[in-house]
Structure formats: structure tokens, C-alpha cells
Amino acid sequence: MATDAFSVVTAGVQTALDRPEVLVPGLVALAVVVWTLSWRVTRTVVTIAHEGGHALLAVVTGRRLTGIRLHADTSGVTHSTGRGRGPGVVLMFLGGYPAPPLLGLAGALAVAEGHADVALWVATGLLLVTLVHIRNAFGVLAVLATGGATAAVAYAAPPDLRTAFATAMVWFLLIGGLRAVGELQRGRRTGRRGGSDADQLARLTGVSGGIWAALFWLLAAAALIIAVWVLLLRT
């Protein structure tokens, strides 16, 4: 049985190595997320997706979206009006942390099917919709820079570069989303509580904030594992 497990792992590693067009962008994204300096610069991209998740769930649940603000410290906030309690506001707070990894997983499925260009144009469209709701100067600059880069690659880059860029962005959202949840859990352990999504959900539902944080972690980890299989291990 041990031999069979080793054979499976070996075959998986070999399959991954046979796909450098997917593996190399993944390693680049991993380095960007792990290196603290580059993470501080690029984390706002994850925040954009995070706040977009809040905004989408606010609209879907019938709340009135009044604006999104992104800050230079990579934090953000989504404002909406509606009932202060109930399923709608719970879903709104629930939508933030899962959004980056789930977007990454959706992008991974598109890239795996050879539709990297579609993924880039969809991302550009989502960023354009987000831009309409941004209510501060830094937020406008951040979304314009991200959307401009994505649109430029989608429109002008050769096919290989489009695919590499889309693949790197997919990995970045997946790995970055996981790191963001880790930062949430680390902040809660060190006593920085009160305003996080997990703590807001705890106040609304009576379920421990630690359980909500664990749920965010499980969703992010599951999205990454599925994406690894889709992009690297599927034969």
C-alpha cells in the first residue's frame, strides 16, 4: 500500500513538472505572496476581490450598496443599507474572505479549458463594475491600475503571455486568499478582534468567531486543492 501511495505521489509530481506553463506562474505567485514586501504591495488586489464579495452578496440579498472604500494599508470596507440583522447581513459579511479563492478557482477552471482570455475579460468587467462603487481616491487608483493591467494584457498581449498572466493571477488569488485568512486568524489569536468579518458574524449569529474563521480557512484551502488538481494533476 505504501508503494502504491508513493507511485501516486510520484506520478502527480511528474504530471505537475510536465506543465511548466502552469507550474512556473504558480511558483511566481507563491513567491509574491510569501515575500512580505511584495505581499504588502499586491495585497490590495485580494482586498478588491474581498470587498467585491461583500458587495455582491449585499446586492443579491436585497440590500442597497452605497459604496466601497479601499485603503493604502490594504484594508477595505463595503457600505450598504438595510436591516441590521437577519440572513441578508449575515450573507454579506460571509461573502468577503471566500471571494478571492473562489474567483481564483473559477479562473483556474477557465484556464484549464483554454479560456484564459475569457477569464481576463471577465475580470476586467468585474473590476469596471467595482470601480463604479468606489468612494475614495486610493480605491479608484487601485482598481484602475488593476483593471488597466488586466485589460491591457487581455487586449494586446500575445496568447502565451495572456495565458501566463491569467494563470499567475489565478494562483495569486488562491494563495493570497489563503494567506489573508491566516492573517485574520493570527490577528484574532493576538487579541486584535472586534471589527473583523468573523467577529461581526459572531455577534450576528451567536456562533464563535473562531468557527467562522475556520470556515473561511476550509473554503480557501478547498479551493486551492481543487485548483491544484484542475491545473496540475489532472491527466
Side-chain angles (χ1 to χ4, degrees):
M1 184 175 295
T3 302
D4 291 342
F6 179 76
S7 298
V8 170
V9 172
T10 301
V13 171
Q14 187 58 53
T15 302
L17 292 175
D18 289 341
R19 295 174 177 170
E21 72 282 2
V22 175
L23 183 59
V24 172
L27 293 175
V28 170
L30 177 62
V32 170
V33 172
V34 170
W35 188 29
T36 300
L37 180 59
S38 57
W39 175 240
R40 287 174 181 169
V41 174
T42 58
R43 192 191 187 286
T44 297
V45 176
V46 173
T47 304
I48 293 170
H50 178 112
E51 298 305 329
H54 285 313
L56 175 63
L57 267 296
V59 172
V60 166
T61 57
R63 299 179 64 81
R64 180 172 174 269
L65 181 63
T66 56
I68 301 170
R69 300 179 71 87
L70 305 171
H71 304 128
D73 64 357
T74 74
S75 65
V77 62
T78 297
H79 296 285
S80 65
T81 58
R83 290 184 59 193
R85 304 191 71 84
V89 70
V90 169
L91 287 172
M92 183 193 71
F93 279 113
L94 186 59
Y97 280 99
L102 291 179
L103 282 172
L105 178 57
L109 293 170
V111 168
E113 294 299 321
H115 301 306
D117 53 342
V118 174
L120 290 174
W121 283 119
V122 169
T124 301
L126 291 174
L127 287 163
L128 183 60
V129 172
T130 302
L131 181 63
V132 173
H133 298 285
I134 297 294
R135 296 293 181 266
N136 67 320
F138 178 83
V140 169
L141 180 62
V143 175
L144 279 177
T146 306
T150 304
V153 172
Y155 178 75
D160 288 348
L161 182 56
R162 287 202 303 269
T163 300
F165 183 85
T167 306
M169 285 299 299
V170 162
W171 284 122
F172 177 78
L173 287 171
L174 288 160
I175 302 169
L178 193 61
R179 174 163 181 174
V181 175
E183 291 174 344
L184 167 68
Q185 293 180 310
R186 186 165 57 252
R188 298 190 79 256
R189 284 196 301 269
T190 57
R192 296 196 302 273
R193 303 184 182 188
S196 74
D197 293 353
D199 296 301
Q200 297 277 16
L201 285 164
R203 283 192 285 271
L204 288 166
T205 64
V207 177
S208 165
I211 292 178
W212 288 111
L215 175 62
F216 295 154
W217 189 91
L218 287 172
L219 290 173
L224 178 58
I225 290 168
I226 295 170
V228 167
W229 180 78
V230 167
L231 292 172
L232 287 175
L233 303 181
R234 185 174 57 172
T235 58

